[in-house]
Amino acid sequence: MRTILVAISPDLFQRHLNVVIGEHEYAAYGNMFLLKKLYLITVRIHRNWSKEEFDRYAAYCSAEIAKGAIPISPAIHKAEKDIIRKAIDGGSSVILLRDLGFNERFKPSGEYFDLCGAGRLLMLCPWPDNLRRRSDAGSDKFLR
């Protein structure tokens, strides 16, 4: 079944190198057209927020995603993961920032494979020098 899905939609299962976004270079995997959407929202949680701040920010993100915003996040913090999970469960597309690159044989697994096949996922990671090891880019670099 997976082989058929890749054969039907090969553009959704391609690795792209040297993708320039602003002043930064990335490797990308998935639906590149998600970058052209006009309504993107960065999902970034700060560890020192109070529970009320977490709740208020999560409600804001959920409302924006319900209006059609595509969330962009490294989904590291539990609250970021929760927001991304709700977006996926609600049928939204997502852009995930990773710190590990995509080698030549990379294919997403499980749910991420299904999201790629549906055109609902784009994964980005800093480029170059991240194919077989984690990037040294911190969350600040990701979010810039």
Side-chain angles (χ1 to χ4, degrees), residues 27 52 64 80 86 100 105 127 139:
E52 293 77 26
E64 297 304 305
E80 292 171 351
K86 287 178 185 174
L100 188 60
R105 299 180 58 97
W127 172 262
S139 62

Side-chain angles (χ1 to χ4, degrees), residues 18 25-26 126-131 133 135:
N18 299 82
E25 287 182 89
Y26 297 88
W127 172 262
D129 299 328
N130 61 351
L131 288 178
R133 64 178 179 79
S135 169

